[in-house]
Amino acid sequence: MSETPGRRLTVASVNVNGIRAAFTRGMDAWLATRRPDVLLLQEVRASDEILAGLLGPGWHVVHAECAVKGRSGVAVASRVPASGVRVGLGNGSPEAAVDTGRWVEMDLAVPGGERPLTLVSVYIHSGTATDPEKMAAKYAHLDAVSARMTALAAQAEAGERDVVVGGDLNVVHRALDLKNWKGNHNKTSGVLDAEIAYLDRWFDDLGWVDVGRRLAGEVPGPYTWWSWRGKAFDNDAGWRIDYQLATPGLAARAVEAVVDRAPSYAERFSDHAPFVVTYEV
């Protein structure tokens, strides 16, 4: 594991915007340098075989492909062996095709850990504020995510597990999380009060901790997504939509959170930057 074996776990969450394109643009170099213990990947958009081939040996992987070809796809890849995996939010029933490839869980038996650790990779629908059908799909998916997060929070409170839910939520929480809040609030998907209410419930009612905000403090961002278009990246006109949400006991043991923002536009391997958190486990 990173830093102190058996004591610290580094978890990197990143929307790769297509794993093959990301590796073409240099994700392999970032991975070799950063060397996280766990990867939470979103928008993989590739097969199990392609993902495993790009990551190479030494990883334990659970991957949920999307039933809609070329879309979504989430994975958890860990250097620590898995003790269990779960795919999707259907609870035994088929999910809508557009909801597949958006939620996957891996349980780890962390050496020296007091209880099992569950890592979740999540990719929420982006939605379109002017398209009622797409927003209905997003809210339905958020309802399913909320139900599972309620169950996981209860298990953590009972001392059964620690949990990290990491990924691209496609919702900002506060004005600090978006450079142009005024121009987007209640006009653009991801900045609608009805969407933000889900995050309010997760934090205020269920007890989940926004690890990035807790460690960064009351500062703008740090942003994790910038449009490919225009000068958004150069001007740091971004959105903080990539999160790691942890159950309270584990959140208290988060010691560092970093956005691995590329040095330049040309060096980006995705329109998202990796969000990396180190936990004492």
Side-chain angles (χ1 to χ4, degrees):
M1 293 185 195
S2 301
E3 301 185 31
T4 306
R7 287 293 300 159
R8 290 192 172 186
L9 191 82
T10 301
V11 179
S13 177
V14 57
N15 180 322
V16 295
N17 199 9
I19 192 78
R20 286 167 289 192
F23 268 73
T24 298
R25 295 186 182 112
M27 181 178 172
D28 52 341
W30 167 81
L31 193 57
T33 301
R34 169 56 82 170
R35 294 190 57 79
D37 299 305
V38 179
L39 276 170
L40 308 178
L41 302 175
Q42 302 88 46
E43 283 203 89
V44 174
R45 302 205 302 258
S47 66
D48 292 347
E49 293 75 18
I50 289 171
L51 174 60
L54 289 171
L55 292 179
W59 293 97
H60 305 271
V61 181
V62 57
H63 174 218
E65 290 187 53
C66 184
V68 182
K69 186 175 177 59
R71 293 184 59 181
S72 307
V74 290
V76 180
S78 172
R79 300 187 192 274
V80 180
S83 58
V85 298
R86 291 168 296 279
V87 174
L89 294 167
N91 293 321
S93 300
E95 294 181 283
V98 294
D99 285 346
T100 57
R102 294 185 181 274
W103 183 277
V104 69
E105 303 180 15
M106 178 184 285
D107 300 329
L108 304 181
V110 178
E114 296 180 359
R115 58 184 64 87
L117 173 61
T118 296
L119 283 303
V120 181
S121 182
V122 57
Y123 175 51
I124 302 292
H125 292 256
S126 56
T128 302
T130 56
D131 187 327
E133 184 176 349
K134 288 185 177 179
M135 290 310 300
K138 182 170 188 174
Y139 291 129
H141 187 234
L142 281 164
D143 287 339
V145 168
S146 290
R148 182 58 182 154
M149 291 185 71
T150 299
L152 289 170
Q155 292 171 5
E157 188 174 8
E160 298 174 15
R161 67 178 72 237
D162 292 319
V163 188
V164 174
V165 176
D168 178 1
L169 300 186
N170 269 315
V171 181
V172 300
H173 188 223
R174 298 165 52 198
L176 288 173
D177 300 321
L178 174 58
K179 183 68 172 284
N180 184 14
W181 170 269
K182 185 176 180 181
N184 287 282
H185 183 218
N186 276 329
K187 302 170 188 174
T188 306
S189 177
V191 203
L192 307 179
D193 284 342
E195 297 168 293
I196 294 168
Y198 285 90
L199 274 62
D200 288 338
R201 179 176 174 236
W202 299 346
F203 300 146
D204 299 338
D205 299 342
L206 301 181
W208 291 91
V209 178
D210 179 351
V211 176
R213 178 55 64 208
R214 185 180 78 81
L215 291 178
E218 296 297 297
V219 299
Y223 307 124
T224 61
W225 178 84
W226 305 262
S227 172
W228 286 116
R229 301 188 300 273
K231 294 289 185 178
F233 184 80
D234 294 338
N235 296 331
D236 199 23
W239 299 51
R240 190 177 77 97
I241 52 176
D242 301 270
Y243 297 76
Q244 290 193 33
L245 310 183
T247 46
L250 183 61
R253 302 196 301 276
V255 295
E256 183 182 49
V258 179
V259 176
D260 279 352
R261 190 179 191 273
S264 70
Y265 180 98
E267 294 169 271
R268 303 168 75 190
F269 63 78
S270 172
D271 50 355
H272 294 254
F275 178 52
V276 187
V277 179
T278 301
Y279 300 90
E280 292 184 344
V281 295

